Structures are given as C-alpha cells and as structure tokens.
Amino acid sequence: MPPEQCNVTPSDRPDLCDFQCNASFAAAKLYKRKPLDIASEVAERLENCTVAAPGFLNINVSNDLLTERLNAMAQDRRLGFPSVEAKTIVLDYGGPNVAKALHVGHLRSAVIGDALYKIAGFLGYRVISDIHLGDWGFPMGLVLAALQERGFKAGDELAPQTLNTIYPEAAARAKTDEVFQAEAKRITVELQQGNAEYFKIWKQIQSLSVADAKANYDALNVRDFDYWYGESDAQRYVPRTLEIFERRGLIRDDNGTKLVDIKLDSDKEPMPPVIVVKADGGEVYATTDLATILQRVEDWKPDACVYLTDNRQTLHFKQVFRAAKLAGIAPPDIDFTHIGFGTVNGADGKPYKTRDGGVMSLSTLIADVRAVLPDERVACAAIRIGELQNQPLKDYRFDVEKFCASEGKTGPYLQYTAVRIASVLAKADAPDAPNATINAPASDVERGLMLALERAGISLLKAWADKAPSAICDCLFDICARFNSFYAAQHILTCEDATQKASWLALLQLTREVIVTLLGVLGVDVPENM
Ligand code: ARG
C-alpha cells in the first residue's frame, strides 16, 4: 500500500489516544481482508498501539519519546522539521486588475498566497511569486476611452482617486452606449498594436495601480512579489504559444473563432473547448494564461505552479492546465493546482459591501480595522488570522468586532499569548533557563501542551499539502489554549524545585518560539508588548 495512504494524524478523540491511523480501511479493500484483522496485526508489532472496532489504530506516544522530541525541537532553529526536496514552486496570487482599486475579494488571494509563500519557504522549497496583474485587454481600452474624452494627454497629472471612479463608470456606460463601446474596442486594439500615446497613458495608469496595490499589501504584511509581471508581459509569448497549438494540429476553426478541444471520454463533468483566438482576432484570458505558462516554464523551470483566485475561475484553470499539457507547453510532470476560494461576506452573511451597497475597497476594510486597533501589527494580525483560520474554499464573514477581540480565535489573542510568555520569562529573571533540559511532563495539562507543540510540524506539512493555512491556525489556537491551562495549573514562578522550574521555563521558551514561528509563516509579527 502506498505510504501516503498510511497517514498517522493527530487523534480526533484526544481522550482516547494521541494519534490515530485509519489506513486499515483502505488496506482492507486492497487486500480483501477485514479492517479489524489488519489493524490487529499492525498493533501487535507496535508499542503503545491499540485497536478500536471496526479497525481504527489508536496510537500513544510515550512520555520519554515526547520529551526527547521536544528537547530536539528546542535545539533546532527550524523546530526539528525535516528538509523537503528542493523543488521550485511558482505561486500566482494577488492578481489585482490595473485601473481598478483593490476590493475585498483581493484580500483572500493576497493573504492566503502570502502565507503559502512563507510556509513553502520555511519548509525549504524554492518559491517564486508572480502577481499576474490584469493589465491588458478591454478594461484598459475603456479607461483610455474615458480619459481621452476628458481631453487627457499622456503626461498630464492623473489623480489616484480618478481610478476609483473612472473604470466603473466607463464599464457601465459601454453596456448601453454602443459608440463608446466601439471606441473603447478600437483603442484596445491600438494599444495592443503599440500606439505610443496610448501606451504612455497606460503606463501612467499602471504605475498608479501598482502603487495602490503596494500600499494595501504593506498594510497586510504581504511580502513584495518576486515578479510584478502582468498579462501585458505575456503578450510576447502569445505568437509562439499559438504556433505550438497550430503545429500540433490542436486548433479547430469555428467561423473564425479558434478553439482547442480538451474533452476526454473519461470526463464526468463538462469540459468545454478553450477559446484561444476570438472571431474578431482578439485574444482571451486563457491565451494569456497559456502564454504565461510558456514563459514560466522557460524562465523558472518549476516543478509545481499554484494559482489562487476566487472559485468562479475554477473551470478556466482546469481548461488552461489541460491545454498546456496537451500542447506540451508544460512538461507532463509539472503539478498544477488552482485554489479557488469563496466569498468574503459581511456581518449579514451577504457579500461584503459598503453601507450604500458599493464595492468594499480593500483599503476601506483595512481602515475599519485600524479604527479599532491603531497598532499596525495588531490590526494586520486581526485581519490575517480572521482570514486564514477559514478553509479557503468556504465563504466566511468578515466581522471587524470579532476579529479584533483580544479573546477568542483572533490574531490579537495569539500575539498576546506570545507577549505574555515573554513577560513571564522576563519576570523569572533566569537567563539560562531557556537552555535547560525539558523534563518529562509532570501533569496531564503539561503533557497536553507538549503534544500540541510536537504537532506544530505536522500542521505545517498539512497546511502545505492541502494549500490551507487554516491547519496552522488550528494548531496555534490549540497550543495557546493548552498553554493557558498549563500556566493556570502550575505555579511556575514560585516553584522551589530549581530543576523543575528551569524545565518549565525552557518549555515556556519553546512554546513562545513555536508560536512566533507559526505566526511568522502566517505573516503575523509579534510586538514586544501589548
Ligand atoms: N486578475 C485576475 C482577477 O482579478 C486574477 C489573475 C489570476 N492569475 C492568473 N494567472 N490568471 O480575477
């Protein structure tokens, strides 16, 4: 049986055991035997392992092993994690659109993507981030057409707030005003064919938008992108991309529209053909993404590419990944993943809007949180942990009051726990204690904390495997809750037994380091005091 089907995971029933393994059920199917028999044979060969009907394996860790593991973690800056294979991962997230202010939907892509970047980097992968700006195509023509009408010339002053209104107005107008729409289309084509005046104005719009995106990302502690490439940068690769499809005989002409069929007989869900060139000669989102894959494969030779957008783009990415492999633009062994996430809702459970029903800009949302939590790092923690504790796929409610609270499953609570541990260590006034050996647990609450710390590594691996940082949030909340019970139960500072006290202080030190490290990969910094 393949090892990945034999996972040992933290127990769902901590009252019964520390870890569990449910592999007997899969093995039973494979070997055509009863799960209970298989489980019994495994348990006979292991220490501290029992069987529960109809075939679960309940595994306990001995106190000696647990203590040994924690001391090893304490001595290693990487908390004892094994190194992974040095694979190259391209992460495509952020993805704001030039000429439009970032809105609340862009929060998820930026924050989840940034956390995945930090997690993968910590695990030892070579990670490359590319923002893939939406900066080419019809929206650009709309904005240029609207500016042209106002008599705007390249080099004229362009106010940042113009961007907030000009695109929505132009997009709405193009729906009813055919003349305006035709003009915007004409300008789009001219821009794409290299019209110098339009290109200069487009550059101005782009740099304003990039500045706006950077300001938002800074406030959210999203690290600078390795590449700020946009759809426009992929255009150089479009002719070759189309040529590859042509050469392989993969293009079907349907009244001028060029299509690539990707459906397989085994498909259970609809798999429509990919449109690579529209009848009017214009390219489409998919063409740009295929060309971008060609560029990434040539420049970065990735082993895996991960894309983050909202889940309305799920089909688009399935189509693109399949077409890329079919044409051989991407080697067959590249692993493509699209993480499609749900909607950010307001307190009423409906998509988060401004009071008058408009689109909630990301900067407004950040300002709302900053009004409650003036410290930038704490506000950022509230937003990031509010976001990251959810499964990416699910919708969630952005509840400012709840996210900012100092109690409950919040960023400030996690930061505060780390600050509190630091202050206990400072009070203990025992600078060598952190280097002391951690003793075997003296109580159940202490053992509980030790187990939670030991699981930090598992949570990192799980977060990466599932591309869901929420596993790390769960682990952090567990550690903090267990630390608080432990600290309430043991009188550490007044303990008379010097060895015991030093061991506890060393455990506290390790607890803090684990919290700070896990928060670090989630992009949350811990202040000195709060
Ligand atoms: N600009 C797109 C949007 O706002 C996201 C881009 C995602 N990345 C990609 N390679 N298509 O929806």
Side-chain angles (χ1 to χ4, degrees):
M1 194 160 113
E4 58 276 12
Q5 283 184 30
C6 303
N7 277 344
V8 174
T9 53
S11 167
D12 292 338
R13 290 283 307 271
D15 52 324
L16 293 179
C17 58
D18 302 331
F19 292 91
Q20 67 186 46
C21 176
N22 303 346
S24 320
F25 299 101
K29 286 210 183 88
L30 193 64
Y31 301 116
K32 307 209 174 5
R33 298 185 51 196
K34 283 197 196 118
L36 197 61
D37 295 346
I38 294 177
S40 307
E41 270 184 49
V42 173
E44 266 166 37
R45 288 174 170 76
L46 295 175
E47 265 177 68
N48 299 321
C49 178
T50 55
V51 179
F56 299 104
L57 287 166
N58 290 349
I59 304 165
N60 279 305
V61 179
S62 71
N63 283 350
D64 285 349
L65 181 61
L66 183 58
T67 311
E68 194 186 301
R69 295 270 307 180
L70 284 207
N71 280 300
M73 276 173 84
Q75 261 140 47
D76 180 12
R77 269 189 48 243
R78 293 186 64 246
L79 304 173
F81 299 127
S83 291
V84 292
E85 256 176 282
K87 287 190 175 167
T88 299
I89 318 273
V90 171
L91 281 180
D92 179 315
Y93 58 97
N97 297 313
V98 160
K100 303 185 212 175
L102 272 71
H103 58 78
V104 50
H106 290 113
L107 174 71
R108 303 207 72 178
S109 181
V111 170
I112 302 172
D114 183 61
L116 290 177
Y117 190 106
K118 288 165 176 158
I119 294 165
F122 183 83
L123 289 174
Y125 293 111
R126 170 179 175 243
V127 201
I128 298 172
S129 60
D130 182 3
I131 189 165
H132 203 77
L133 290 171
D135 65 355
W136 210 238
F138 188 52
M140 302 298 112
L142 283 171
V143 174
L144 287 168
L147 283 172
Q148 173 175 281
E149 249 183 18
R150 299 178 189 191
F152 189 92
K153 295 265 171 330
D156 288 357
E157 170 105 1
L158 188 59
Q161 56 280 21
T162 316
L163 286 188
N164 294 337
T165 48
I166 197 161
Y167 175 77
E169 277 168 23
R173 190 171 143 204
K175 286 201 178 118
T176 50
D177 182 341
E178 276 171 30
V179 180
F180 181 71
Q181 187 192 51
E183 178 63 358
K185 279 199 178 143
R186 187 192 65 78
I187 294 178
T188 309
V189 175
E190 284 216 16
L191 170 71
Q192 296 180 343
Q193 288 171 350
N195 176 307
E197 170 75 6
Y198 289 139
F199 190 78
K200 275 189 215 146
I201 305 177
W202 171 79
K203 270 278 165 210
Q204 281 181 273
I205 303 170
Q206 199 203 39
S207 69
L208 262 192
S209 301
V210 167
D212 172 59
K214 283 194 172 168
N216 279 292
Y217 293 151
D218 278 350
L220 293 170
N221 201 19
V222 170
R223 75 185 292 288
D224 192 12
F225 285 81
D226 296 320
Y227 293 91
W228 283 80
Y229 287 161
E231 293 172 352
S232 60
D233 295 292
Q235 299 316 307
R236 298 197 287 127
Y237 293 82
V238 168
R240 268 172 57 215
T241 303
L242 294 176
E243 229 174 79
I244 296 173
F245 279 99
E246 294 277 10
R247 206 179 335 119
R248 299 221 163 188
L250 294 168
I251 305 254
R252 172 162 63 91
D253 199 300
D254 180 19
N255 288 321
T257 304
K258 292 187 175 174
L259 303 167
V260 176
D261 289 306
I262 48 169
K263 192 170 159 36
L264 300 174
D265 290 340
S266 55
D267 283 335
K268 294 203 176 64
E269 46 188 6
M271 191 50 81
V274 186
I275 300 175
V276 286
V277 184
K278 286 192 287 194
D280 65 5
E283 295 140 14
V284 247
Y285 191 43
T287 322
T288 312
D289 260 325
L290 287 163
T292 303
I293 291 177
L294 182 63
Q295 174 263 316
R296 289 176 180 169
V297 168
E298 289 187 352
D299 292 355
W300 304 326
K301 303 186 177 45
D303 297 292
C305 298
V306 182
Y307 296 71
L308 288 102
T309 73
D310 72 64
N311 54 25
R312 283 168 299 182
Q313 296 188 29
T314 303
L315 177 62
H316 162 77
F317 283 106
K318 275 192 190 148
Q319 291 177 299
V320 166
F321 299 160
R322 200 177 271 191
K325 292 224 171 151
L326 194 65
I329 288 171
D333 52 352
I334 287 198
D335 191 15
F336 284 108
T337 313
H338 169 244
I339 306 295
F341 38 76
T343 315
V344 180
N345 290 329
D348 57 359
K350 302 211 184 89
Y352 205 8
K353 292 267 159 72
T354 55
R355 231 162 265 188
D356 52 14
V359 177
M360 180 63 126
S361 75
L362 187 50
S363 54
T364 310
L365 181 140
I366 296 170
D368 285 354
V369 173
R370 286 285 280 279
V372 184
L373 298 170
D375 184 310
E376 183 169 335
R377 276 171 308 180
V378 183
C380 174
I383 299 174
R384 292 189 67 123
I385 299 297
E387 162 65 56
L388 292 171
Q389 66 181 285
N390 305 288
Q391 283 292 332
L393 279 169
K394 299 214 170 114
D395 300 350
Y396 76 93
R397 278 177 203 217
F398 197 98
D399 185 332
V400 176
E401 203 184 320
K402 188 170 139 204
F403 287 5
C404 294
S406 52
E407 289 292 323
K409 295 193 166 182
T410 70
Y413 163 73
L414 296 174
Q415 285 175 313
Y416 178 69
T417 308
V419 169
R420 184 164 171 226
I421 299 175
S423 95
V424 175
L425 288 168
K427 264 195 220 134
D429 196 22
D432 293 332
N435 306 322
T437 307
I438 299 172
N439 295 340
S443 64
D444 279 352
V445 274
E446 184 173 3
R447 186 172 192 281
L449 172 61
M450 289 169 78
L451 255 182
L453 293 172
E454 151 60 35
R455 288 172 185 159
I458 302 175
S459 78
L460 275 155
L461 292 174
K462 184 169 163 47
W464 178 248
D466 299 349
K467 306 291 177 290
S470 56
I472 297 173
C473 292
D474 294 345
C475 182
L476 273 164
F477 290 127
D478 189 38
I479 290 173
C480 291
R482 286 170 190 273
F483 162 75
N484 285 319
S485 326
F486 166 65
Y487 189 67
Q490 305 287 357
H491 300 284
I492 297 173
L493 290 178
T494 52
C495 173
E496 307 246 308
D497 176 342
T499 328
Q500 178 60 275
K501 182 171 172 179
S503 159
W504 278 339
L505 292 173
L507 180 61
L508 254 54
Q509 170 74 15
L510 177 62
T511 305
R512 183 177 146 86
E513 270 170 25
V514 171
I515 296 174
V516 170
T517 304
L518 293 187
L519 281 176
V521 296
L522 298 181
V524 173
D525 298 332
V526 175
E528 288 296 304
N529 40 49
M530 279 172 82

